[in-house]
């Protein structure tokens, strides 16, 4: 019977204690129990009594439902996701066993999750160095490259941070009670929001003026960008500890790498504040991942929605896993996020046959494409140009193209595949980058593949830019 069910909340209790900055002895003193009993509770060796649950709620002003709920569900889902890694394919790992390990051995679960995350980061680092060495760059990638450090941190965690989603969602509920962000700034922080011309902002798009108690925004920003900058400032003010706790899990060789990561996490929090996980995840299914419809619903830009779609991997509430890339007309990659296992080129440009590079021909129009990699993997890509800057006549605008993609198995859930003139069987064959693509007949190739012998052309010239041997 439900009334007889014993309540084991070890992982949740341990997380609460750490969030409060308490030792087991501190918590024991607060609850008037022994430190050893706290340890037993955290290891799930003892159930939590109703009396102690009430004492916890009164002492630390917490929601009993949050503590008494299925606290290990998140860890169970995370562990099950880890155990789907191909390296474990030959091991029989029933889902019930993962649940048993998480429930009965929360410390072991946490250790495994940390170890796997560290392993993923190391694999990404090795991939960086390996590609560079193959490309003839002796010594590999500089291990202190801050951009690479930040990208590895995000990729190892699939650009998904459920604790930040939860914190931002709670904050969004508070903001909604104060008639939006401007009202919340005034009520909670005593800050007035002002929009000023660029000559007053002197090169800034957003600035916190603590002396005058104002948040200043450039009036050159469009509405979506102004709203995002307000959300970002609020994330810096109220979610700094949540961001710091996540960043502390990384091993950064440079201060710049850590700062870039904190900045990315703060932007993640701002997007989660404007597009709260629960409501947004529900909307993407209802709208079938229509980015323009979602943009209107949440008052966000096309690019902001595309970013947010890459983050919807909260354990137990996963949506379609996407990858994201942003390029300029010269092919320079300014942003890359991967939640779908797409093998981005870590050095050099992308494949010219991918239509993200052709989106500039039809500005602001969505273009779609089926893609097939040399190993047979197929993806569906949605691309469109986006504009940054401008805001007035004569102002410099920067045009970029973004692409959002998912594996073929998920593509049917996207509205963009409805009535598509081609199916996956007619996918465009692309490579990751020319230096590691071994398609022998590609006429768009800009460089020969690494490790292949170039054939002379004094007798025969191939239609492809380079002829190279088959072995």
């Amino acid at each position: 019977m439900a009334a007889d069910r014993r309540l084991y909340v070890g992982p949740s209790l341990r997380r609460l204690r750490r969030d409060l900055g308490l030792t087991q002895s501190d918590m024991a003193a607060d609850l008037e129990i022994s430190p050893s009993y706290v340890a037993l509770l955290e290891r799930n060796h003892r159930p939590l009594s109703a009396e102690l649950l009430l004492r916890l709620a009164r002492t630390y002003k917490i929601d009993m439902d949050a503590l008494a709920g299925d606290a290990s569900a998140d860890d169970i889902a995370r562990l099950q996701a880890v155990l789907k890694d191909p390296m474990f394919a030959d091991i029989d790992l029933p889902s019930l066993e993962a649940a048993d390990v998480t429930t009965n051995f929360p410390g072991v679960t946490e250790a495994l999750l940390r170890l796997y995350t560290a392993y993923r980061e190391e694999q990404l680092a090795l991939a960086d160095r390996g590609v560079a060495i193959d490309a003839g760059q002796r010594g590999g990638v500089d291990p202190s490259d801050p951009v690479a450090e930040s990208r590895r941190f995000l990729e190892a965690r699939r650009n998904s941070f459920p604790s930040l989603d939860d914190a931002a969602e709670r904050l969004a509920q508070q903001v909604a009670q104060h008639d939006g962000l401007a009202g919340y700034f005034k009520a909670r922080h005593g800050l007035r929001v002002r929009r000023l011309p660029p000559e007053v902002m002197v090169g800034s798009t957003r600035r916190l003026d603590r002396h005058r108690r104002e948040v200043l925004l450039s009036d050159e920003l469009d509405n979506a960008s102004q709203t995002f900058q307000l959300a970002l400032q609020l994330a810096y003010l109220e979610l700094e500890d949540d961001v710091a706790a996540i960043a502390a899990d990384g091993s950064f060789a440079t201060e710049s790498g850590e700062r870039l990561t904190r900045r990315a996490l703060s932007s993640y929090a701002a997007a989660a504040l404007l597009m709260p996980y629960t409501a947004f995840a529900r909307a993407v299914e209802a709208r079938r991942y229509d980015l323009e419809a979602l943009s209107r619903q949440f008052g966000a830009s096309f690019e902001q929605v595309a970013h947010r779609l890459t983050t919807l991997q909260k354990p137990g509430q996963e949506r379609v896993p996407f990858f994201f890339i942003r390029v300029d007309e010269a092919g320079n990659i300014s942003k890359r996020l991967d939640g779908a296992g797409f093998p981005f080129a870590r050095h050099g440009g992308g494949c010219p046959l991918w239509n993200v590079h052709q989106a500039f021909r039809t500005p602001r129009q969505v273009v779609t494409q089926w893609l097939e990699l040399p190993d047979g993997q197929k993806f569906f890509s949605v691309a469109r140009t986006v504009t940054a800057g401008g805001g007035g006549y004569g102002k410099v605008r920067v045009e970029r193209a973004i692409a959002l993609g998912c594996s073929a198995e998920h593509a049917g859930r996207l509205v963009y595949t409805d009535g598509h003139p081609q199916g996956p069987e007619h996918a465009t064959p692309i490579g990751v980058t020319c230096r590691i693509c071994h398609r022998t007949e590609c006429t768009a190739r800009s460089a020969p593949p690494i490790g292949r012998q170039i054939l002379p052309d004094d007798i025969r010239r191939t239609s492809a830019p380079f002829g190279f041997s088959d072995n």
Side-chain angles (χ1 to χ4, degrees):
M1 295 177 62
D4 297 328
R5 185 172 72 89
R6 293 186 174 186
L7 187 61
Y8 291 91
V9 296
S12 182
L13 183 62
R14 184 177 66 254
R15 190 177 299 115
L16 169 66
R17 178 176 60 77
R18 290 178 177 176
D19 288 346
L20 294 172
L22 301 175
T23 65
Q24 289 181 343
S25 296
D26 294 333
M27 177 171 277
D30 290 343
L31 301 176
E32 298 180 348
I33 58 178
S34 69
S36 60
Y37 192 66
V38 173
L40 291 171
L41 288 169
E42 290 189 355
R43 296 192 189 106
N44 277 340
H45 290 175
R46 292 290 187 275
L48 185 68
S49 67
E51 178 187 354
L52 192 53
L53 176 60
L54 288 169
R55 203 180 304 172
L56 275 163
R58 284 195 302 265
T59 303
Y60 300 119
K61 305 296 188 294
I62 60 171
D63 182 0
M64 286 192 297
D65 290 338
L67 185 65
D70 188 2
S72 62
D74 180 49
D75 286 342
I76 292 173
R78 290 174 62 204
L79 182 59
Q80 288 175 340
V82 165
L83 295 178
K84 291 178 182 177
D85 190 289
M87 78 167 79
F88 303 125
D90 62 333
I91 304 175
D92 184 19
L93 296 166
S95 57
L96 285 177
E97 288 190 6
D100 287 342
V101 169
T102 304
T103 302
N104 296 314
F105 307 100
V108 172
T109 301
E110 185 174 346
L112 286 172
L113 292 173
R114 286 188 188 180
L115 187 61
Y116 183 77
T117 300
Y119 158 77
R120 287 283 298 138
E121 285 187 318
E122 181 63 20
Q123 290 297 106
L124 291 167
L126 287 173
D128 279 343
R129 291 194 288 272
V131 171
I133 291 170
D134 286 344
Q137 300 176 13
R138 299 300 176 187
V141 173
D142 180 358
S144 63
D145 179 356
V147 175
E149 277 193 302
S150 182
R151 282 180 175 173
R152 284 198 296 269
F153 181 92
L154 298 174
E155 289 179 18
R157 293 154 182 82
R158 300 185 67 194
N159 195 37
S160 176
F161 303 94
S163 64
L164 206 49
D165 282 310
D166 292 341
E169 192 158 10
R170 290 192 296 269
L171 182 55
Q173 293 170 357
Q174 298 175 38
V175 170
Q177 297 173 7
H178 291 85
D179 195 27
L181 287 164
Y184 184 83
F185 270 112
K186 188 66 176 176
R188 178 71 176 81
H189 295 280
L191 295 168
R192 181 170 62 136
V193 176
R194 293 184 64 196
R195 292 162 177 82
L196 299 173
E199 56 268 22
V200 179
M201 294 298 291
V202 196
S204 299
T205 56
R206 167 185 51 81
R207 185 161 64 87
L208 176 61
D209 188 335
R210 294 186 182 275
H211 178 68
R212 293 184 175 86
R213 308 297 300 165
E214 294 176 334
V215 179
L216 307 177
L217 296 173
S218 170
D219 64 7
E220 288 190 312
L221 297 174
D222 58 31
N223 289 337
S225 297
Q226 288 188 19
T227 303
F228 183 82
Q229 287 301 323
L230 284 178
L232 182 56
Q233 185 63 71
L234 189 54
Y236 281 126
L237 289 172
E238 296 204 20
L239 300 177
E240 182 179 6
D241 289 344
D242 299 274
V243 167
I246 294 172
D249 189 39
S251 299
F252 299 99
T254 67
E255 187 175 351
S256 292
E258 183 175 3
R259 286 181 177 177
L260 284 174
T261 301
R262 284 176 177 254
R263 187 166 72 175
L265 290 171
S266 297
S267 294
Y268 182 109
L273 177 58
L274 298 177
M275 294 168 271
Y277 198 101
T278 302
F280 190 71
R282 187 184 305 117
V284 299
E285 292 294 339
R287 300 279 189 176
R288 294 192 60 209
Y289 298 86
D290 186 331
L291 276 80
E292 291 169 309
L294 291 165
S295 297
R296 289 191 293 272
Q297 180 174 343
F298 288 90
S301 71
F302 188 90
E303 183 174 351
Q304 288 166 5
V305 170
H307 276 206
R308 185 62 172 142
L309 285 173
T310 68
T311 69
L312 300 184
Q313 295 304 307
K314 190 175 183 180
Q317 301 179 51
E318 298 93 338
R319 294 299 186 265
V320 170
F322 286 102
F323 63 81
F324 172 96
I325 192 171
R326 186 177 69 192
V327 301
D328 62 21
E329 291 187 80
N332 299 307
I333 298 172
S334 55
K335 185 165 287 187
R336 186 182 74 203
L337 301 167
D338 184 25
F342 189 83
F344 285 114
R346 300 189 180 278
H347 305 275
C351 180
L353 299 179
W354 187 2
N355 68 4
V356 65
H357 303 289
Q358 300 159 17
F360 296 100
R361 300 176 186 173
T362 54
R364 316 294 287 184
Q365 292 184 24
V366 172
V367 291
T368 60
Q369 185 183 29
W370 287 98
L371 308 171
E372 182 176 3
L373 296 175
D375 64 0
Q377 288 187 85
K378 293 185 178 181
F379 294 87
F380 186 76
S381 168
V382 179
R384 204 198 81 169
T385 60
V386 295
T387 304
Y393 180 75
K395 301 295 183 180
V396 177
R397 295 176 182 268
V398 179
E399 198 79 7
R400 299 187 180 98
I402 64 172
L404 192 73
C406 66
S407 66
E409 63 182 297
H410 299 295
R413 297 166 65 180
L414 277 58
V415 67
Y416 302 102
T417 57
D418 292 352
H420 197 276
Q422 294 181 331
E425 64 277 7
H426 299 293
T428 301
I430 70 167
V432 176
T433 187
C434 290
R435 298 303 302 273
I436 57 175
C437 177
H438 293 267
R439 296 187 187 276
T440 58
E441 300 178 357
C442 179
T443 57
R445 177 180 295 283
S446 63
I450 298 165
R452 301 295 286 272
Q453 183 68 39
I454 304 299
L455 297 177
D457 66 352
D458 49 342
I459 295 178
R460 174 179 176 269
R461 174 65 184 262
T462 63
S463 57
F466 302 94
F468 46 88
S469 62
D470 292 335
N471 53 33

